[in-house]
Amino acid sequence: MTVVPSAEAGATIIPEHVAIIMDGNGRWAAKRSLTRLRGHGQGAEAVREALKGCDELGIRYLTLFAFSSENWSRPVEEINHLMGLFRFFFRKEIKALCDAGIRVKFIGNTSKLPSDIQDLIEELKVRTKDNNKLVLTLALSYGSQAEIVGAMQALGEKIKAGDLSPEEIDENMVSRNLQTADLPEPDLLIRTSGEKRLSNFLLWQCAYTEFVFLDVLWPDFKKQDLLAAVEEYGSRNRRYGAL
Ligand code: IPE
Ligand code: IPE
Ligand code: MG
């Protein structure tokens, strides 16, 4: 956590890691009598706003919930449209992300994604691996409970092989076996659209995260909304159970 002066936010406490549940695309479209698919298209634009806001504030880690493991139960037409948007966004933005010094990472069961998107994911990871301005982690086909199960299975395998005893398992070891092993825990979690739940996002990692719920629908999200959430974060007293 750092304290830096920002032209728009004043001297404020800047969270090192911000995670966002980008929700409300369907409702944004319904309000305009558009199809849900149009809402997702507009939602992609809001990602640019979030990136701009992170750049201005000096946020080092941004993690975006783009598609949950439960979202596979949506209509196939909507899933295909979302996959098309990911494909389009990854192809189109790869150079801009490199130029902006953004390192792109992924969490989730990406093996369920179409194979060409898996190829693009590999390309993005490799081409941005030396960037260090911002770490952008995209949660795609991500479910926190499945991630935790994966960590338990990995530890179980080590026990079976005789390389680990159950008493050696502690919180740090569990964290190191999650897909987020190389990320700090989120300081601030933002959910748009007015819903107030985690929907299976970063359950373990958010043990002491500050939550800010915004009524704005994700396609309407602007960098000012990020600044407002960061200001709210700055007013919180993080006690971590101590006095
Ligand atoms: C978030 O918007 C995007 C994804 C979950 C992929 P929604 O599609 O959930 O929009 P609402 O919640 O129906 O408005
Ligand atoms: C959470 O939103 C997943 C993403 C934003 C990618 P949902 O819209 O899927 O969550 P629920 O169904 O309202 O809990
Ligand atoms: Mg939703």
Side-chain angles (χ1 to χ4, degrees), residues 21-23 27 65-68 71 74 191 195 197 199:
I21 302 176
M22 310 184 289
D23 197 17
R27 278 163 284 173
F65 202 5
F67 191 84
S68 76
N71 290 149
R74 292 195 179 189
R191 182 168 187 151
E195 305 295 354
R197 54 176 171 265
S199 301

Side-chain angles (χ1 to χ4, degrees), residues 91-146:
R91 276 199 199 122
K92 185 157 168 277
E93 297 300 324
I94 197 156
K95 184 167 183 309
L97 290 164
C98 284
D99 292 348
I102 296 172
R103 177 167 190 183
V104 190
K105 290 175 174 257
F106 293 84
I107 53 173
N109 184 0
T110 52
S111 68
K112 285 183 80 174
L113 298 167
S115 65
D116 67 314
I117 295 186
Q118 293 185 45
D119 293 344
L120 283 167
I121 284 175
E122 277 316 306
E123 188 182 342
L124 268 164
K125 285 200 285 197
V126 171
R127 281 185 54 188
T128 65
K129 73 176 175 17
D130 296 323
N131 294 345
N132 58 13
K133 192 140 186 261
L134 170 81
V135 176
L136 170 65
T137 303
L138 299 175
L140 269 185
S141 186
Y142 174 84
S144 186
Q145 291 183 335

Side-chain angles (χ1 to χ4, degrees), residues 75-92:
V76 69
E77 185 199 15
E78 179 162 344
I79 292 173
N80 287 342
H81 183 77
L82 283 163
M83 294 304 141
L85 282 175
F86 297 143
R87 193 176 278 123
F88 179 76
F89 187 81
F90 294 163
R91 276 199 199 122
K92 185 157 168 277

Side-chain angles (χ1 to χ4, degrees), residues 152-207:
M152 297 302 110
Q153 287 173 340
L155 295 178
E157 288 297 334
K158 284 184 194 156
I159 292 172
K160 198 165 83 180
D163 295 333
L164 179 70
S165 66
E167 306 76 55
E168 288 176 281
I169 299 175
D170 63 6
E171 289 89 335
N172 278 332
M173 190 179 287
V174 174
S175 294
R176 285 201 309 273
N177 280 276
L178 296 173
Q179 292 187 299
T180 50
D182 51 358
L183 302 178
E185 284 170 358
D187 300 294
L188 167 63
L189 178 124
I190 300 168
R191 182 168 187 151
T192 58
S193 90
E195 305 295 354
K196 295 177 181 64
R197 54 176 171 265
L198 278 176
S199 301
N200 202 10
F201 190 47
L202 302 177
L203 304 180
W204 173 275
Q205 296 87 340
C206 283

